[in-house]
């Protein structure tokens, strides 16, 4: 079984090396000691949220303190593909369920989408709070799934701003119930990239309960997006994005 992970201060994680004593303090230490009940002698990982992982053994615990002796330091390589989830705001916390599952499935960036047909509306202060809540969800989900990287949550975009944000990506997949192209077919052009190309950026766009409007689909196609289908059934907004990410993980050899 893999070690439990906790997020440490990036500067402190960067400075630590094999043989050093690392001090984890604050809420993460309290969680390790009070909730996880970690004790001296147990193995644990501390990560910086950006790919660096310290593996060590607990040497001392306190109310808000976890000390470990670092055994190994690993800078985990960036995957050849960078996944983005464009998740339309949805009612009943289904958008939040999608964000949590997508984090577990390896998404790198989440973009909240105020689509034309979204019932939930983020305006002004609510948009700031909503972004912060989604970022907290990715933090918790990354910790649960023992990822060393925390996905970024960008500010919410409406349907006018979204196409320009996606225009420079390598592949934009719009999940659409009326699409004729299977998701696997849309990856063929991506496979023709040369060996010196940088990491490919792949976005998965998920609409709200009422679906993506014709105008929104046309605007996305205008920047090169491809409408794709996952199968014969219509998936909820909470499951469509994670399902697509699972398929991409398999097709691209990440699983």
């Amino acid at each position: 079984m893999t070690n439990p992970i906790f997020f440490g201060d990036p500067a402190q994680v960067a400075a630590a090396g094999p043989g050093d004593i690392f001090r984890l303090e604050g809420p993460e230490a309290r969680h390790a000691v009070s909730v996880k009940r970690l004790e001296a002698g147990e193995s644990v990982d501390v990560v910086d949220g950006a790919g660096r992982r310290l593996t060590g053994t607990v040497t001392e615990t306190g109310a808000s303190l976890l000390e470990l002796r670092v055994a190994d330091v690993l800078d985990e390589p960036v995957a050849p593909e960078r996944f983005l989830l464009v998740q339309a705001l949805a009612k009943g916390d289904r958008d939040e369920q999608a964000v949590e599952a997508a984090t577990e499935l390896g998404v790198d960036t989440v973009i909240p989408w105020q689509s034309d047909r979204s019932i939930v509306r983020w305006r002004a202060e609510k948009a700031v709070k909503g972004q912060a809540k989604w970022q907290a969800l990715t933090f918790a989900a990354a910790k649960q799934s023992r990822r060393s990287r925390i996905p970024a949550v960008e500010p919410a975009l409406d349907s006018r701003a979204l196409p320009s944000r996606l225009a420079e990506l390598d592949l934009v997949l719009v999940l659409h119930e009326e699409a004729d192209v299977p998701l696997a077919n849309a990856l063929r052009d991506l496979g023709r990239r040369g060996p010196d190309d940088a990491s490919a950026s792949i976005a998965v766009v998920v609409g709200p309960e009422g679906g993506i409007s014709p105008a929104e689909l046309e605007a996305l196609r205008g920047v090169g997006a491809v409408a794709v289908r996952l199968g014969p059934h219509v998936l909820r907004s909470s499951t469509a994005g994670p399902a697509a990410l699972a398929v991409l993980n398999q097709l691209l050899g990440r699983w």
Side-chain angles (χ1 to χ4, degrees):
M1 184 175 180
T2 57
N3 294 335
I5 73 161
F6 301 92
F7 290 98
D9 176 80
Q12 293 179 329
V13 174
D20 291 345
I21 294 294
F22 184 90
R23 291 174 59 91
L24 182 70
E25 300 178 285
E28 284 291 272
R30 285 195 295 273
H31 185 252
V33 175
S34 301
V35 179
K36 291 294 187 179
R37 302 290 185 180
L38 292 180
E39 298 177 348
E42 295 190 76
S43 296
V44 66
D45 289 357
V46 175
V47 299
D48 66 352
R52 170 161 284 208
R53 183 185 299 265
L54 309 179
T55 297
T57 302
V58 177
T59 58
E60 184 180 341
T61 63
S64 297
L65 170 69
L66 182 79
E67 281 192 353
L68 65 144
R69 183 174 296 279
V70 179
D72 295 300
V73 179
L74 175 64
D75 289 308
E76 298 182 355
V78 177
E81 307 83 22
R82 179 169 168 263
F83 291 159
L84 295 86
L85 173 66
V86 178
Q87 178 65 49
L89 304 183
K91 64 179 181 180
D93 296 334
R94 287 180 180 156
D95 48 11
E96 296 178 4
Q97 295 172 33
V99 171
E100 288 180 317
T103 299
E104 296 174 23
L105 293 165
V107 78
D108 298 289
T109 302
V110 176
I111 302 175
W113 177 25
Q114 182 72 73
S115 78
D116 294 344
R117 293 178 177 175
S118 289
I119 296 173
V120 174
R121 314 302 292 180
W122 282 6
R123 294 187 177 91
E125 184 179 351
K126 190 173 183 179
V128 176
K129 291 182 177 179
Q131 181 187 3
K133 185 176 183 180
W134 282 26
Q135 188 68 77
L137 290 172
T138 65
F139 179 92
K143 186 173 180 179
Q144 184 278 328
S145 57
R146 302 182 180 180
R147 289 185 59 177
S148 64
R149 287 185 172 85
I150 303 172
V153 178
E154 297 186 1
L157 297 178
D158 60 21
S159 295
R160 294 185 300 274
L162 182 61
S164 61
R165 170 64 181 86
L166 303 180
E168 295 183 0
L169 302 186
D170 296 292
L171 182 62
V172 178
L173 304 172
V174 181
L175 305 186
H176 199 280
E177 61 188 274
E178 297 179 1
D180 296 322
V181 179
L183 187 152
N185 290 8
L187 292 179
R188 290 175 180 170
D189 288 342
L190 194 67
R192 299 194 187 103
R193 294 163 53 85
D196 296 327
D197 288 338
S199 297
S201 50
I202 305 173
V204 174
V205 181
V206 180
E209 302 91 329
I212 297 172
S213 72
E216 289 171 326
L217 183 57
E218 182 179 358
L220 291 169
R221 280 176 166 159
V223 295
V226 181
V228 298
R229 60 179 173 82
L230 285 171
H233 305 125
V234 177
L235 302 181
R236 286 182 170 179
S237 58
S238 57
T239 55
L245 290 172
V247 173
L248 288 171
N249 276 315
Q250 179 63 30
L251 292 174
L252 294 168
R254 295 173 58 152
W255 284 3

